[in-house]
Amino acid sequence: MIAVIQRAESARVDVEGETVGAIGAGLLALVAVEPGDGEAQCVRMLERLRGYRLFSDSEGKMNLSLADTGGGLLLVSQFTLAADTRKGMRPSFTTAAAPAEASLWFDRLVALARAAHAPGVETGRFGAHMKVHLINDGPVTFRLEVR
């Protein structure tokens, strides 16, 4: 499982002109499910999403996590993160999970997040053409992988 996480001042996802998920300050996570991902990867990814220290403390150092700050979490499925781009000029998506498998495990990640992160978890819409709006705070962006 792969996630690109971005510290957000605010973020939202629109589908066909309708906002389907929005947060204030917090974390936007673009998430790709890879073949073979399952419960263990979902649990570990959530631990990393909630525990990764990318928010500033009173001294301006990145010492606080999403769990510490209580910010929002916006999860957006993005299979293109799992693309194989090592050769040629067109990505291959054989390294991404099939849609049915990806949907299953993305939904599981969302369920775990909603159970663990009371301040609020929002999502995009799996498989839809989404417009993701972000005010990146910093900018601060990291790539996380869980195997």
Side-chain angles (χ1 to χ4, degrees), residues 31-47:
V31 179
V33 177
E34 297 175 290
D37 283 347
E39 184 74 13
Q41 288 75 25
C42 290
V43 168
R44 180 65 179 134
M45 182 57 79
L46 180 59
E47 288 173 354

Side-chain angles (χ1 to χ4, degrees), residues 68-140:
D68 295 328
T69 65
L73 175 60
L74 178 56
L75 296 168
V76 178
S77 175
Q78 180 148 7
F79 78 96
T80 60
L81 290 175
D84 183 351
T85 60
R86 292 176 290 182
K87 59 183 179 178
M89 298 304 284
R90 183 178 171 153
S92 169
F93 297 107
T94 59
T95 51
E101 180 185 5
S103 176
L104 173 75
W105 294 114
F106 180 78
D107 289 348
R108 180 63 179 147
L109 176 64
V110 171
L112 290 169
R114 286 186 169 145
H117 193 69
V121 176
E122 297 282 325
T123 68
R125 187 172 295 155
F126 188 92
H129 182 91
M130 297 176 273
K131 305 283 186 182
V132 180
H133 304 265
L134 166 70
I135 298 177
N136 191 321
D137 182 12
V140 173

Side-chain angles (χ1 to χ4, degrees), residues 14-19 131:
D14 295 342
V15 175
E16 296 179 1
E18 172 193 354
T19 298
K131 305 283 186 182

Side-chain angles (χ1 to χ4, degrees), residues 7-11 23-28 55 66 69-73 135 137:
R7 188 174 70 186
E9 186 175 303
S10 65
I23 61 168
L27 186 65
L28 167 64
F55 295 94
L66 186 66
T69 65
L73 175 60
I135 298 177
D137 182 12

